[in-house]
Amino acid sequence: MTEMLSATPENIARAAQVIHNGGLVAFPTETVYGLGADALNVQAVARIFAAKERPAADPLIVHLSGMEQIGSVARTIPPIAEKLAKTFWPGPLTLILPKQPAVPDAVTSGLDTVAVRVPDHPVALELIRVANRPIAAPSANRFGHTSPTTAYHVWDDLRGRVDIILDGGETSVGVESTVLDISTSPPRILRPGGITREMLEAVIGAVTVLRQQRTIEEGLPSPGLLKKHYAPHSEMVLFVGENARETLIEETRAAHKAGKRVGVLALDEDMEILKTTGAVVYRLGSDESSIARRLYAGMRWLDRQGVDVILCRSLSESGLGLAILDRLVRAASRVVT
Ligand code: TXA
Ligand code: MG
């Protein structure tokens, strides 16, 4: 049985008790909703993997209510981590740190490191504080699916599999936290997210970005090799490069003519012309923060419209654009250059 509750102080206290007793609580953060359990309870952590159908080899992020809790999960805090934490916590930055033995292998998939962050959301912070436990939480979606940015998204994916969903409205950032490995020199972004490369570099100097096999610069592998993640149910096609806008419009028209129900994740500047194509259009906005905030909701909304295919085009790789492009590339079954 899953209860969906508004995030009142009383309901947060109930949810904290559920965490304390080894149960599962989905809760809002500033990025996406998390599926939380007591990070120090092996059985509770196992329930997270079961609920999401997530492979055990994919480690979880441990959420803290503040720096003062960090000693319970991390063995040492290098000066650079301290500097980053002071600047960006609470916020969408996840740091990879040497782990305390008390953190179960289930959380870290047997790694000697643990991923840690302090979320910038009053409900998340209150839940962790009242539960008085570090909370392990991946995004609260079925494995491989689009991350949830509303409580209803969580309900769609995980009802019957989680004890409580705390409804705290829409999340504000919309894409996941930046995962940063500080064990290398220079530090390396493992997953681009809410704290941009530029923001990190302003504080600690040069930062590199781990390039997955699926980047535009290095050339894309053949479609069969693409591993879908953060993905809607419909097939998704991403247009990149100089002619992305023209190709997107052309292919939208062509697919519509061929009798397909076409969905488009649209930038504001493309809205007018897309109205003439017969497509079902979801408006993402014009600036990166709006696009990031609306991206996953848009994928889910188009899925619900029963479209056969979702088309979209990329924007710049600067700022939040890097995280947006990363998610689009991973969600796409085909990238057209
Ligand atoms: O914004 C977020 O980060 C959201 C909210 C709920 O906090 N959480 C989230 O968790 O996106 P998840 O499980 O979907 O993604 C966790 C990421 C994965 O890419 C995982 O590989 C990486 O963090 N990760 C976790 N532990 C790690 C470790 N010890 N070393 C390297 N990467 C790690
Ligand atoms: Mg996830």
Side-chain angles (χ1 to χ4, degrees):
M1 249 281 288
T2 297
E3 282 184 280
M4 175 112 122
L5 305 172
S6 63
T8 61
E10 299 75 43
N11 288 336
I12 295 173
R14 263 184 69 192
Q17 194 60 49
V18 167
I19 295 278
H20 215 90
N21 296 340
L24 295 185
V25 174
F27 62 96
T29 80
E30 79 280 33
T31 57
V32 300
Y33 275 71
L35 174 60
D38 178 351
L40 304 179
N41 176 334
V42 181
Q43 278 89 34
V45 170
R47 291 189 62 202
I48 293 179
F49 285 89
K52 283 196 61 148
E53 298 173 32
R54 178 178 174 117
D58 199 357
L60 307 177
I61 295 173
V62 176
H63 296 70
L64 308 177
S65 58
M67 259 312 241
E68 64 284 352
Q69 260 186 332
I70 203 164
S72 64
V73 293
R75 211 165 52 231
T76 53
I77 325 294
I80 191 172
E82 209 160 313
K83 194 168 176 188
L84 288 165
K86 276 211 180 91
T87 312
F88 296 112
W89 285 356
L93 176 67
T94 295
L95 297 172
I96 309 297
L97 299 171
K99 92 172 181 77
Q100 280 287 6
V103 179
D105 279 341
V107 171
T108 61
S109 305
L111 295 171
D112 192 33
T113 54
V114 61
V116 186
R117 85 179 189 100
V118 177
D120 187 13
H121 195 291
V123 174
L125 291 174
E126 181 72 357
L127 179 69
I128 302 163
R129 202 186 55 75
V130 179
N132 197 21
R133 285 282 194 287
I135 294 184
S139 51
N141 51 277
R142 296 280 188 103
F143 183 71
H145 194 205
T146 310
S147 295
T149 56
T150 71
Y152 297 96
H153 297 162
V154 180
W155 176 259
D156 283 343
D157 274 23
L158 297 178
R159 64 173 172 276
R161 296 169 175 237
V162 24
D163 298 305
I164 290 180
I165 301 171
L166 282 176
D167 184 355
E170 283 177 27
T171 63
S172 57
V173 177
V175 292
E176 299 82 350
S177 63
T178 302
V179 179
L180 186 70
D181 176 6
I182 51 169
S183 71
T184 60
S185 182
R188 192 169 54 149
I189 294 175
L190 303 180
R191 178 181 71 181
I195 298 293
T196 67
R197 176 185 193 167
E198 293 85 344
M199 289 163 80
L200 292 171
E201 290 188 329
V203 177
I204 55 168
V207 166
T208 60
V209 181
L210 174 70
R211 293 293 176 179
Q212 316 279 357
Q213 69 275 32
R214 307 187 50 182
T215 64
I216 286 153
E217 286 168 14
E218 292 167 14
L220 291 152
S222 65
L225 297 175
L226 299 185
K227 200 173 127 223
K228 286 226 292 180
H229 206 69
Y230 304 102
H233 296 301
S234 320
E235 180 200 356
M236 201 169 115
V237 184
L238 170 66
F239 298 90
V240 299
E242 269 168 41
N243 300 320
R245 183 171 194 266
E246 289 66 36
T247 327
L248 166 73
I249 308 291
E250 266 167 41
E251 294 232 3
T252 303
R253 282 194 211 287
H256 179 69
K257 281 212 182 90
K260 278 195 185 164
R261 191 167 161 79
V262 189
V264 180
L265 290 169
L267 306 182
D268 272 355
E269 59 187 279
D270 298 348
M271 287 297 290
E272 275 307 308
I273 183 135
L274 281 167
K275 280 184 193 151
T276 67
T277 61
V280 182
V281 180
Y282 184 90
R283 190 180 69 82
L284 290 175
S286 49
D287 59 297
E288 283 151 2
S289 60
S290 155
I291 295 166
R293 190 164 55 243
R294 293 171 60 79
L295 184 66
Y296 290 143
M299 290 181 191
R300 285 180 183 256
W301 185 82
L302 288 173
D303 266 343
R304 280 201 307 282
Q305 308 310 306
V307 299
D308 301 308
V309 60
I310 297 175
L311 307 183
C312 62
R313 70 174 174 104
S314 70
L315 52 166
S316 90
E317 285 192 50
S318 64
L320 264 183
L322 187 66
I324 295 167
L325 182 61
D326 173 79
R327 303 311 188 272
L328 287 174
V329 170
R330 289 169 193 269
S333 8
R334 193 155 65 84
V335 181
V336 180
T337 46

